[in-house]
Amino acid sequence: MNRKRKRSMAIQAQNEQGGNHGAGKAPFEGFDLTNFWNDSDYALKQYVSEPPTDELIASIEQELGYKLPASYIAMMKLHNGGVPVNTCFPTEEATSWTEDHIAITGIMGIGRDKHYSLCGELGSRFMIEEWGYPDIGVVICDCPSAGHDVVMLDYRNCGRDGEPEVIHVDQEGDYEITFLAENFEAFIRGLVHDDVYDTSEEDKQEDLRKVAHEEFSPLLSELCARVTEVGNMEEIIRAVCTRIVEDKGYFAFHADELSTLMYDLQFWLYTKSYPHTNREQYLKDYEKIIAFGGAFSTGGYAPGFVTDWLDDRIRQGVIVGTSDALTFTDTATEQLLERLKAYAS
């Protein structure tokens, strides 16, 4: 199933589930909330509070400066905050998250005690006052970006005591606002499972194409051109990286055996061309080789994996030297070249 078809199904699900739930109807009438929440240890610790009393609700509303929607209050009296099973909401325009949906991490409950509650340590006022989100309503959901986008109740059209719309606000896009739903209940009914947007097979095929055909970074091309010990270093690198994508399903280096081989290979290539390389210089230039090197790139890296690999190799005596220059031992170089032969065509 392609992405366009999946997007169409998600929008259809939103339209079918988020219909007209107007005045005179009980909140979430006909909607099964039994299996709505994913009560993991993390969710219980960070989000979920005891059901709010009317006194607590009134004090939270006073602190926030907005009347909370009846549907939100009704839901929180049943389960006060948490992580839902369905964490994606379809959009018809692209956001910083992706082209056709946004994702949430959790829904903030009514309270002050939990980190992710409306008036908690990382709650609505914190996101508005510390992160600069527009003071137009209430932040109700955090997102996987760790603060760089949120879901809010938007009171601009209804006033502080009215029925707010639900919007996505993107800090990375200069706080760009994307409309999501006409009210909180429609938002909840429109949430879909992330399986709807599972593109892992398409992503794998794209990464296989990338490692097979995309152009090397200028630095990696320069380093490969100086190799005389083995033939066709470029094909060897592409072969190793193809194996990584086939095993993982995507192009990334972590702490596994093949990733370690690529760390070794990059270090050997770099220090062969720049023999007076110290630790600081290598860690600074590492990202120019593959991590952020251009079209043939992992698109990022976790520095901890690289520093852990380097510390392990020094501890094992595989990499030796002084504070001014590091290098592989002759034995380590021979062993590396022998391993690379298995990937030569």
Side-chain angles (χ1 to χ4, degrees), residues 80-226:
N80 195 13
V83 175
V85 172
N86 296 335
T87 56
C88 295
F89 194 91
T91 63
E92 296 196 29
E93 55 188 288
T95 66
S96 59
W97 182 248
T98 189
E99 65 182 19
D100 54 9
H101 70 283
I102 60 104
I104 64 172
T105 302
I107 301 171
M108 297 182 185
I110 299 173
R112 298 182 175 89
D113 296 337
K114 294 302 174 82
H115 279 8
Y116 295 102
S117 54
L118 291 185
C119 293
E121 184 178 344
L122 301 176
S124 180
R125 294 312 307 171
F126 172 81
M127 298 308 296
I128 291 170
E129 293 169 3
E130 300 297 327
W131 279 75
Y133 284 95
D135 194 0
I136 57 175
V138 179
V139 176
I140 56 167
C141 300
D142 64 321
C143 298
S145 64
H148 294 281
D149 64 326
V150 297
V151 171
M152 296 184 68
L153 300 175
D154 179 6
Y155 289 78
R156 288 176 297 173
N157 294 328
C158 65
R160 291 177 177 269
D161 295 326
E163 182 72 24
E165 298 174 339
V166 181
I167 59 173
H168 174 262
V169 186
D170 184 0
Q171 189 211 39
E172 293 297 309
D174 195 24
Y175 301 100
E176 181 180 4
I177 292 173
T178 301
F179 172 83
L180 298 179
E182 61 183 8
N183 54 54
F184 176 76
E185 182 172 351
F187 172 71
I188 293 299
R189 288 176 178 267
L191 288 170
V192 297
H193 198 274
D194 59 10
D195 281 352
V196 172
Y197 298 101
D198 181 12
T199 60
S200 55
E201 185 56 34
E202 295 95 321
D203 295 342
K204 178 180 179 179
Q205 294 305 315
E206 171 58 22
D207 278 358
L208 285 172
R209 184 202 63 77
K210 175 166 63 176
V211 298
H213 302 294
E214 289 291 3
E215 186 176 357
F216 282 5
S217 70
L219 178 54
L220 183 57
S221 294
E222 172 196 336
L223 300 180
C224 289
R226 297 181 179 180

Side-chain angles (χ1 to χ4, degrees), residues 24-81:
K25 289 191 176 182
F28 297 104
E29 183 177 333
F31 184 70
D32 185 8
L33 290 168
T34 306
N35 298 311
F36 181 83
W37 300 100
N38 176 16
D39 284 333
S40 65
D41 290 342
Y42 171 77
L44 294 172
K45 179 179 179 181
Q46 300 293 340
Y47 290 88
V48 184
S49 300
E50 292 296 319
T53 63
D54 291 341
E55 292 77 16
L56 177 61
I57 294 169
S59 71
I60 294 293
E61 289 179 330
Q62 183 176 8
E63 183 173 337
L64 294 173
Y66 297 95
K67 182 175 177 60
L68 297 171
S71 59
Y72 173 75
I73 292 173
M75 177 177 247
M76 294 306 108
K77 285 191 172 184
L78 295 174
H79 194 289
N80 195 13

